[in-house]
Amino acid sequence: IKEFINSIRDISDCNIMLIGDHGMSTVQSTIDFKKILDESLKTLNIDKNSVDLFCDSTLGRVWIEESEKKDIILRQLRKCSELNEKGRFLEKEDYCNLNIPYKPQSYGDIIWLANNGIMISPDYFHGPFPTKGMHGYNPDNLETYGTLIVYGEDIAREEVEFAHLADVNSIIKEKMLLN
């Protein structure tokens, strides 16, 4: 990035903005969420066709047809040491803390969130071939943060250590003198 900025220093009639809305973490390990769910359902003698599963790279999301079975399935999944070591299940208070609307019918009755560096594999994006880097983890880790660089002749040099993604629009407008 520094090399790019140095190469454009002679251009004085434009402002440049580089933005990345998320960071990346090195994938250190994987987990087969579908296999664990299938084994749990078999143990409980619950037909796997009575649940829907979506494996994002960092989220295992489960929709359950019969709502009374949610707690039974969740209790069984919580017994899995690998799930407990490599991530956690979202609790109701997590939705507020993470700015996620609590809508189980939309996002899943059960949501498991991988720890930073853990990837669900296979998932519905990469199949059985996990990537070397991933995003979409809990935003409490520095590696998950995005980057915003605004450069131009009339833009004061300033470093902001942290800003919420929702504030980026106003920062851009201020720095690019769009107010």
Side-chain angles (χ1 to χ4, degrees):
I1 293 174
K2 285 181 184 178
E3 195 175 302
F4 172 73
I5 299 258
N6 287 334
S7 73
I8 59 164
R9 286 198 191 274
D10 295 335
I11 303 172
S12 62
D13 62 344
C14 70
N15 293 329
I16 295 174
M17 174 182 63
L18 303 172
I19 186 167
D21 67 338
H22 58 75
M24 282 297 241
S25 297
T26 301
V27 174
Q28 300 163 350
S29 180
T30 62
I31 187 168
D32 190 337
F33 189 83
K34 181 184 182 316
K35 181 180 173 188
I36 293 168
L37 176 63
D38 287 348
E39 289 170 356
S40 294
L41 294 172
K42 187 176 181 181
T43 298
L44 294 168
N45 201 26
I46 295 175
D47 181 4
K48 67 180 181 179
N49 293 319
S50 69
V51 303
D52 290 316
L53 169 66
F54 193 87
C55 290
D56 288 314
S57 303
T58 60
L59 294 173
R61 300 190 281 162
V62 182
W63 290 264
I64 302 163
E65 282 181 15
E66 301 171 48
S67 59
E68 65 276 359
K69 291 186 179 176
K70 175 193 171 189
D71 290 335
I72 296 165
I73 295 170
L74 183 56
R75 256 193 314 275
Q76 185 66 31
L77 288 170
R78 286 184 191 276
K79 291 178 184 178
C80 176
S81 60
E82 187 178 17
L83 287 176
N84 293 322
E85 291 165 10
K86 293 185 173 183
R88 67 186 180 90
F89 292 95
L90 292 186
E91 306 293 343
K92 212 167 188 176
E93 60 270 9
D94 290 321
Y95 290 83
C96 181
N97 294 337
L98 296 170
N99 293 317
I100 302 170
Y102 182 71
K103 296 180 180 178
Q105 68 280 8
S106 297
Y107 301 112
D109 296 300
I110 296 172
I111 299 178
W112 181 83
L113 172 63
N115 289 340
N116 198 52
I118 307 297
M119 181 177 167
I120 295 174
S121 181
D123 67 6
Y124 295 139
F125 299 104
H126 308 95
F129 307 105
T131 62
K132 294 182 182 206
M134 185 47 57
H135 62 92
Y137 295 103
N138 191 336
D140 63 356
N141 187 300
L142 185 62
E143 287 182 352
T144 66
Y145 294 1
T147 301
L148 171 64
I149 299 172
V150 182
Y151 178 82
E153 186 176 279
D154 296 326
I155 298 174
R157 185 179 179 139
E158 175 187 6
E159 185 172 324
V160 177
E161 195 64 33
F162 176 83
H164 291 280
L165 190 55
D167 298 330
V168 170
N169 184 45
S170 58
I171 293 170
I172 291 169
K173 286 166 55 176
E174 174 192 328
K175 296 298 177 190
M176 302 289 269
L177 307 172
L178 299 174
N179 288 336

